[in-house]
Amino acid sequence: MPPRKVVITGMGAVAPGGNDVPSFWSAVAAGRSSVDRIALFDASGLSCQVAAEVRDFPVREYLPPKTQKFGMRVVAFTLAAAGQALAQAGLDPERASGRELQRTGVILGTGAGGIEFGERQYGVFYAGNGHKVSPYGILGTFVGMLSSEVNMAFGLKGMSHVISTGCTSASDAMGYALQSIRTGAVDVVLTGGGEACIVPGIMSAFCQMGTMTTRWNDQAACASRPFNRDRDGFVMGEGAWILVFEELESARARGAPILAEVAGYASTCDAYHRVRPEPTGEEAARAIDLALEDANANAEQVGYMSLHGTATELNDRIETRAVKLALGHRAQDVPASGLKSMIGHAQGACGAAATVATVCALREGFAPPTINYSEPDPECDLDYVPNQGRSAPIELAVVNTIAFGSKNSTLVLRRWEA
């Protein structure tokens, strides 16, 4: 018996550039940078002082009453985006039957979870005020709490899982969601990811690691420069992007909008280094190959790629090699966007951001740009859709993510024809 088909019936976003999917996509398609000077804390002592923050979002309005005073941004982002996704999918948990709630799961990706709340509590403790540390310091910093908050907010009684594999977290969560529906474990999964780690401790550590941009503090909009010759590191981002994955016949029975098909997924490991990708790109290429195989597709059918494109020297060069290995003679012909040039790097949620944007690209036949692309790198010679998006007939798209610890994960999406 063939595996059940999985489709996307709803999406939500709280993101740099817009706090819903239309606003987010409009900013990305237009090539608008959401990078600016950090406003969330005083970053004047850091070598990198820019980030892509979520702005004009009422965090406390989306938090449960008991946790409102703690202002956990990642929870608020994720609950808001989940509500948007459910609404678009036409799923109302308050009207759902007990069995429907039991057959709806939550599988999310995050790298840092509630680290911003945790950092504040550590500050209280190290200031000598241990007696004032919140008991929510435990629950709030546990990455597994993110899915639980969504399950509890909407009464969803299927599985409640969080995948935390670094920058591939959301991609791996969506891959797990795909597999869970295919095997019949559930019919519907809220998946994707959320992140809110524009915080002093995390930023300081990345600055010390030398992976963040430092040259563009006074020209923030130019700071994220994937694949450009003068790139010097990534820009931190944040936000939540949530999708409703649903078994095809379930979606049809409800008359739900079908936005795209989730056609394939695969993950590999370089088994090479904690922070550097393996130089040949062979395992990253194998993840693309395996995902296409899982989708019963091949390199000839790929019409668009959303690349990881962090704007670090090694990642961009090696990801380019991987694409060449996977797509062969077609590599230079396929439009391939680096969305982080506009929205920064939302760490564990970045795969979800790319997936939401790629669904929009499929539906509109439009490849968004890689901005700040002014000086080509001879070793990065793909079609990165430089600076201005363009129309592109896309039937099959690849979403690529790469993580510290030698991880590579790839999703394949297919345009849905009603």
Side-chain angles (χ1 to χ4, degrees), residues 331-350:
Q332 271 96 357
D333 298 330
V334 177
S337 304
L339 299 181
K340 293 179 181 66
S341 60
M342 296 168 280
I343 63 170
H345 187 358
Q347 301 296 300
C350 70

Side-chain angles (χ1 to χ4, degrees), residues 91-412:
L91 290 167
D92 183 353
E94 293 186 0
R95 297 185 179 183
S97 69
R99 176 169 171 76
E100 288 170 334
L101 294 174
Q102 290 171 344
R103 300 282 297 172
T104 301
V106 179
I107 306 176
L108 301 176
T110 187
I115 191 67
E116 42 109 14
F117 176 61
E119 278 203 12
R120 293 201 301 271
Q121 296 309 302
Y122 287 133
V124 171
F125 176 81
Y126 286 116
N129 297 312
H131 62 289
K132 293 184 179 179
V133 170
S134 168
Y136 282 94
I138 297 170
L139 301 176
T141 55
F142 166 48
V143 295
M145 62 87 192
L146 193 58
S147 64
S148 298
E149 292 292 336
V150 175
N151 284 82
M152 291 187 291
F154 298 103
L156 307 177
K157 299 182 179 180
M159 75 272 283
S160 179
H161 295 169
V162 171
I163 307 297
S164 189
T165 49
C167 301
T168 59
S169 296
S171 295
D172 294 330
M174 290 183 287
Y176 181 21
L178 171 66
Q179 294 165 352
S180 297
I181 296 172
R182 278 178 171 175
T183 60
V186 285
D187 297 324
V188 179
V189 179
L190 260 71
T191 187
E195 201 76 273
C197 53
I198 304 174
V199 293
I202 294 291
M203 292 285 293
S204 297
F206 276 119
C207 286
Q208 290 294 102
M209 192 183 292
T211 56
M212 302 194 78
T213 181
T214 60
R215 299 177 193 166
W216 302 92
N217 290 330
D218 295 325
Q219 293 177 273
C222 301
S224 187
R225 309 174 71 78
F227 308 106
N228 202 61
R229 189 168 190 166
D230 68 350
R231 64 190 183 276
D232 72 321
F234 77 87
V235 169
M236 189 71 79
E238 64 176 355
W241 295 262
I242 304 298
L243 305 96
V244 176
F245 281 18
E246 187 166 0
E247 191 271 325
L248 175 59
E249 296 310 317
S250 167
R252 281 176 168 164
R254 294 193 309 103
I258 296 178
L259 308 180
E261 178 187 353
V262 190
Y265 161 78
S267 182
T268 66
C269 183
D270 299 342
Y272 175 73
H273 194 274
R274 291 181 181 87
V275 298
R276 290 200 298 268
E278 192 277 323
T280 68
E282 289 178 359
E283 288 303 319
R286 191 166 70 91
I288 298 170
D289 291 339
L290 291 172
L292 287 170
E293 181 181 334
D294 188 44
N296 293 314
N298 58 56
E300 296 295 325
Q301 297 169 281
V302 177
Y304 172 72
M305 293 191 73
S306 180
L307 299 180
H308 193 59
T310 58
T312 57
E313 181 183 352
L314 289 178
N315 178 94
D316 291 6
R317 183 194 313 152
I318 295 168
E319 186 176 20
T320 297
R321 290 176 188 167
V323 172
K324 290 179 179 179
L325 288 173
L327 299 191
H329 73 279
R330 293 205 62 241
Q332 271 96 357
D333 298 330
V334 177
S337 304
L339 299 181
K340 293 179 181 66
S341 60
M342 296 168 280
I343 63 170
H345 187 358
Q347 301 296 300
C350 70
T355 299
V356 168
T358 300
V359 171
C360 294
L362 279 166
R363 288 173 60 79
E364 296 196 11
F366 186 85
T370 303
I371 67 168
N372 297 323
Y373 190 81
S374 59
E375 187 179 1
D377 181 339
E379 294 190 77
C380 298
D381 56 353
L382 304 179
D383 175 6
Y384 303 114
V385 195
N387 300 314
Q388 187 169 347
R390 64 173 180 262
S391 296
I394 307 168
E395 297 297 325
L396 194 81
V398 168
V399 177
N400 209 45
T401 48
I402 299 170
F404 282 170
S406 296
K407 299 177 179 69
N408 313 288
S409 295
T410 303
L411 282 166
V412 177

